[in-house]
Amino acid sequence: DDHLSRHRVHLIDGDVTGAIREIASLAKSRRVLVVCNTVKRVINVYQALRRLVSRSDIAVLHGRFTLGDRIEREREIATKRIVVATQAIEVSLDLDLDVAFTEVALIDALIQRFGRVNRNGRLGHAAPVYVFRNGGPFDQHVYQPYSRVERTVESLTTRDTGGGFVLTEGL
């Protein structure tokens, strides 16, 4: 077979703040990635999750860390059940988590985020990646023009007929 099916994409109504309990619950048996589009949102989600899980089970990564702090955070991520991050997670990290929850973004950014889950197909099935239809209150400042993000949602919506869809990669 010349295709790899590592991810099953699910669109979720609402935003990441409505899934905090589900994320914490999933982290009991799986390693979970949560990607937000702004540092402020990452911090808020991290704090909400910290009320439900042990500090030793969760890591945070965003672009405001100094290089030294970032290197330490990247090392720490490998041992955590939950990783809450900004777009900083999209590049140059060899991570392999089990499930992802991500705020909506441009399609190329989403694919980079998905790449941190079931990285080498080790799970033997298409791992779930959840994309929230609604982002954070400042996403329009991150992605301009924001209409490109809206088109990404429209495109994903046409493919998700209720049970998600498998994202197939050609090799």
Side-chain angles (χ1 to χ4, degrees):
D1 189 311
D2 290 340
H3 294 86
L4 183 62
S5 302
R6 294 184 297 158
H7 308 107
R8 176 172 289 279
V9 180
H10 301 270
L11 288 172
I12 301 177
D13 290 331
D15 66 26
V16 66
T17 60
I20 298 296
R21 289 194 181 287
E22 181 181 356
I23 292 166
S25 180
L26 266 175
K28 293 175 185 170
S29 60
R30 297 184 185 158
R31 294 191 62 221
V32 181
L33 172 63
V34 181
V35 186
C36 302
N37 295 327
T38 64
V39 173
K40 182 174 182 153
R41 186 74 138 187
V42 163
I43 292 167
N44 290 341
V45 168
Y46 172 80
Q47 289 172 338
L49 284 165
R50 275 281 299 112
R51 291 184 200 97
L52 302 173
V53 301
S54 166
R55 185 180 192 285
S56 63
D57 288 336
I58 189 169
V60 64
L61 179 70
H62 55 69
R64 290 191 190 158
F65 287 113
T66 65
L67 179 59
D69 286 340
R70 182 180 163 113
I71 290 168
E72 179 60 31
R73 296 284 175 169
E74 289 176 5
R75 216 176 287 129
E76 180 181 275
I77 286 171
T79 65
K80 302 301 180 179
R81 308 278 325 148
I82 303 174
V83 177
V84 183
T86 60
Q87 299 88 329
I89 203 81
E90 294 173 12
V91 292
S92 73
L93 282 177
D94 186 14
L95 289 177
D96 191 7
L97 295 116
D98 303 325
V99 60
F101 290 83
T102 177
E103 289 187 321
V104 67
L106 300 175
I107 190 65
D108 54 334
L110 291 176
I111 290 170
Q112 287 294 319
R113 295 170 188 192
F114 299 167
R116 303 300 171 248
V117 174
N118 199 16
R119 193 164 178 84
N120 300 309
R122 70 174 166 79
L123 296 175
H125 60 83
V129 291
Y130 299 93
V131 179
F132 295 99
R133 290 181 190 274
N134 301 333
F138 300 104
D139 287 4
Q140 69 275 11
H141 301 296
V142 176
Y143 296 106
Q144 294 181 344
Y146 195 73
S147 60
R148 292 177 59 210
V149 173
E150 293 168 336
R151 283 197 303 276
T152 296
V153 172
E154 289 170 16
S155 177
L156 294 175
T157 299
T158 63
R159 298 203 57 199
D160 186 350
T161 57
F165 63 93
V166 174
L167 185 64
T168 304
E169 303 166 52
L171 298 177

